[in-house]
Amino acid sequence: MNPDYRLPHSQDSYGFGFLDEFAKREIRRVILKAISIPGYQTPYASREMPMGRGFGTGGLQLTLSMIGPDDTLKVIDQGSDDSVNAVNLRKFAELTCPEVSTTESTTEASLIQTRHRVPEIPLREDQVLNLQVPYPDPLVIVEPSEAKRKIMHGEGDYARLLTKLYEDLVKFDEITISHRYPTRINGHYVIDPSPIPRYDVPGLHQSRALLLFGAGREKKIYAVPPYTNAEPLVFDDVPFRTESFYTADGQRRACDRCGSIDSFLDELNLDDGSKAWQCSDTDYCNRQLARTEAGEATQ
Amino acid sequence: MNNPLTTEQHNSVWSPLYQQRAFRALMSAFSFPGRRQSLPLCSDATGPTCIAAVLCDNEVSLADPDQLIDSADVRRLGIREAGVTNAGFIVADGSQAPTFEPALGNLAEPEQGATIIIRVASLEDSNDFPLILQGPGIEDKQALSVNGLNREWLAERTRWNRNFPMGVDLILMDDTQVVALPRTTRISGGTN
């Protein structure tokens, strides 16, 4: 988007935050019910947004219905503030929410909208994380009827989902779900935590910040309240495993840019056919780099 | 683009800016059950009207058996009035014991359970009614003091919420503050 772009004069009368007040009020009611029933996919109307469904409209509607002039917004896409989805959604918020500040810093943000990652730096109680969700229902792979799925969710009946995981273990000796790992919230509902890597699933457990999930195309909002149990669905004798960043000889890979050995790494294919690893969370990477450089400067 | 800071009367309960700020207070209240949250100041409403203005419009139904919301405000909200047994929102006086059966939702649609806005005398600290809360949103335990809440409310709430996920969610409010008790919050103490 052109950074100097302004809405045409005929559209200049949109209200703050683009959504009309009735749309905001409905989403606000749904958010409160979603928090009250942790993990339950609460249906809502999902208004048309000036971008296709599937481009983060669910997360964006959450953000726009709660944002105010006192807020500082951060938008990330796969951990990065500078990739195309994040840049465009942030521009849209800047365009439609005058007075709102935007930031790339995790610690300065009061609202964080994210696609497919949870920030590396643990969140605080005064922050809210809005996750963009493509597919909200983890049961859809085992039951095509939504009416039946709703009853299964209500009863906390996830036997068929566990069978699917068991079949994976029989066939591959490993649960083959790499992202969107089914996670049980407060001992009842199982959610699709959006396509975050397995690495981020433990970060949902007893989070200090409210986590909200918005699925715009599927018209669902659900929540993981602060200090709430979020347990990946596993078997007693097969513990949950996250992505391993160890080399064959047992070395933890470091980020090629900042040298960090405690972050989630993206694997990059370089032009010469070799591979490189880099932090997926760009804000975290920049912080580590600044810390290293400051350390070198004082020596 | 309408700038909320330059819009006049942003301390009116009907202004978008007031409603955004009040919603954030309510969202924090539901995220951290039992913690008091201050509603923003407004010049033209008190009590349950402040919450009804934020959450209610002509898409939801409201029951106000104790007539705590001014009839002019009810008209302004454009709200559908309903009986207490099937209203989405119920406004009630906390000093009186509840005499109704609210909607609890059903297994497939637990969000149809009512939200009950209960007016109490005070949420300031008071040894009159010390309650201990546990559940999602509470790190370990949370103490809650409330003045002017008939004890029958807690017994009825326990009965309404006995079959999770069905149940009701309560918002306690005094003149300036709110406390939320979502259906997942477990309450002990206070009953003697």
Side-chain angles (χ1 to χ4, degrees), chain B residues 53-73:
Chain B
V54 175
L55 296 179
C56 300
D57 53 29
N58 60 2
E59 289 179 32
V60 298
S61 53
L62 177 118
D64 184 10
D66 302 323
Q67 316 244 302
L68 298 178
I69 299 183
D70 194 65
S71 59
D73 289 336

Side-chain angles (χ1 to χ4, degrees), chain A residues 170-291:
Chain A
V170 170
K171 276 190 208 156
F172 308 110
D173 284 337
E174 174 76 68
I175 294 171
T176 56
I177 305 171
S178 62
H179 54 288
R180 297 174 52 207
Y181 196 93
T183 305
R184 194 156 208 173
I185 307 305
N186 193 33
H188 191 99
Y189 286 101
V190 169
I191 63 163
D192 180 325
S194 86
I196 56 172
R198 283 183 176 207
Y199 183 91
D200 283 341
V201 172
L204 308 180
H205 180 71
Q206 296 285 329
S207 155
R208 298 174 77 83
L210 170 65
L211 313 174
L212 289 168
F213 298 77
R217 182 184 47 210
E218 306 290 333
K219 306 188 177 82
K220 297 282 164 51
I221 288 172
Y222 48 105
V224 180
Y227 305 118
T228 299
N229 288 345
E231 294 144 336
L233 213 57
V234 283
F235 300 100
D236 290 347
D237 53 345
V238 185
F240 182 67
R241 293 207 308 160
T242 58
E243 288 82 354
S244 159
F245 294 106
Y246 286 86
T247 57
D249 51 3
Q251 257 335 74
R252 169 64 150 93
R253 286 187 205 281
C255 167
D256 283 349
R257 186 162 169 269
C258 72
S260 166
I261 52 162
D262 54 6
S263 64
F264 184 82
L265 301 176
D266 283 339
E267 186 176 331
L268 311 172
N269 291 310
L270 303 180
D271 289 344
D272 61 2
S274 63
K275 288 179 190 297
W277 277 265
Q278 216 175 72
C279 291
S280 133
D281 186 334
T282 49
D283 175 53
Y284 184 78
C285 198
N286 290 340
R287 272 168 205 274
Q288 295 293 0
L289 205 58
R291 193 175 297 168

Side-chain angles (χ1 to χ4, degrees), chain A residues 7 11-16 21-22 25-26 28-29 31-33 35-38 40 42-43 47 65-71 95-96 98-99 110-111 125 128 147 150-151 154-155 186 188-189 206 208 210 212 225-228, chain B residues 1-5 14-17 19-21 23-24 26-27 30-32 35 52-60 88-89 107-115 135-139 164-165 167-169 171 182-184 186:
Chain A
L7 286 173
Q11 293 174 23
D12 206 31
S13 54
Y14 275 117
F16 180 85
E21 292 303 313
F22 288 96
R25 206 171 285 131
E26 191 221 359
R28 289 168 182 170
R29 284 194 296 263
I31 289 172
L32 297 187
K33 282 296 173 199
I35 298 171
S36 300
I37 316 168
Y40 170 69
T42 320
R47 301 306 201 272
S65 66
M66 68 178 69
I67 199 166
D70 313 326
D71 277 311
L95 210 58
T96 56
E99 307 292 326
S110 59
L111 289 180
E125 286 186 355
V128 179
K150 282 173 90 82
I151 298 291
E155 292 175 336
N186 193 33
H188 191 99
Y189 286 101
Q206 296 285 329
R208 298 174 77 83
L210 170 65
L212 289 168
Y227 305 118
T228 299
Chain B
M1 195 64 55
N2 293 334
N3 184 330
L5 291 181
W14 310 103
S15 72
L17 184 65
Q19 300 197 354
Q20 183 267 333
R21 289 184 171 156
F23 168 69
R24 289 294 281 275
L26 284 171
M27 193 169 82
F30 274 82
S31 302
F32 303 101
R35 283 196 208 173
V54 175
L55 296 179
C56 300
D57 53 29
N58 60 2
E59 289 179 32
V60 298
F89 288 83
L107 201 57
E109 289 166 332
E111 83 278 13
Q112 310 270 344
T115 305
I138 299 167
E139 191 172 9
F164 184 84
V168 296
D169 309 301
I171 303 173
R183 62 193 70 178
T184 48
R186 300 184 299 281

